[in-house]
Amino acid sequence: DSIGPRIDTGTSGRAPCSAIQTDAGTTGDAGNTSSTARSLGTDPTNGPSGVTGCVDANDPEDMYSVTTTSGKDVDVELVVPAGADFDLYIVDSTKNRYAYDYSEYNDPLEKVSTGSTNLSGQATTFYILINVWSGDGTYTLRVWTNNTVPKPDITISMVDVPVKAQA
């Protein structure tokens, strides 16, 4: 974003999430590290209905793992509740927020994709990180896996032209 990276305060307002969460439809929190991240599976597609989760002052981050097979890209949308400001990142296992794609100022709909990153078309595992900037509440996370846009596999190194023009 042209405004620059945000500084994470890790705080929000009230805490509306239930004590026992059901992030992505499974009992428990999605976690906030690569080892506790909730798996969305291999080449996941759950849009347009998506999965829901909740973040608040007591749980300001949720993290999901995604595994892709070769030749795939993943598009992600985060629907943010009214009055809240959540941020969306594609991160590595160390949670480097600016290694791939991120969306910080686009509420109520944050969007990221592997398509313009070095993850494009790679068989790999990466993580989706949701972070509270302000507010709290239930979000919807929508994920689509698509075929990678083909890239040319030829290189033009020499062009020969006719020695004589022909009519």
Side-chain angles (χ1 to χ4, degrees), residues 88-117:
L88 180 64
Y89 305 87
I90 294 177
V91 300
D92 58 19
S93 62
T94 66
K95 288 173 48 175
N96 180 346
R97 294 176 187 213
Y98 305 106
Y100 304 113
D101 196 13
Y102 62 95
S103 178
E104 297 179 323
Y105 299 97
N106 300 308
D107 301 301
L109 184 64
E110 304 281 353
K111 296 179 183 183
V112 294
S113 176
T114 62
S116 61
T117 72

Side-chain angles (χ1 to χ4, degrees), residues 33-114:
T33 67
S34 59
S35 61
T36 61
R38 174 82 27 98
S39 175
L40 294 178
T42 300
D43 297 335
T45 294
N46 65 28
S49 58
V51 297
T52 60
C54 190
V55 287
D56 59 26
N58 296 322
D59 175 29
E61 293 180 335
D62 279 348
M63 200 164 170
Y64 296 90
S65 67
V66 173
T67 300
T68 54
T69 56
S70 182
K72 302 294 182 183
D73 282 326
V74 177
D75 297 322
V76 183
E77 292 182 348
L78 176 67
V79 181
V80 179
D85 184 357
F86 300 170
D87 300 326
L88 180 64
Y89 305 87
I90 294 177
V91 300
D92 58 19
S93 62
T94 66
K95 288 173 48 175
N96 180 346
R97 294 176 187 213
Y98 305 106
Y100 304 113
D101 196 13
Y102 62 95
S103 178
E104 297 179 323
Y105 299 97
N106 300 308
D107 301 301
L109 184 64
E110 304 281 353
K111 296 179 183 183
V112 294
S113 176
T114 62

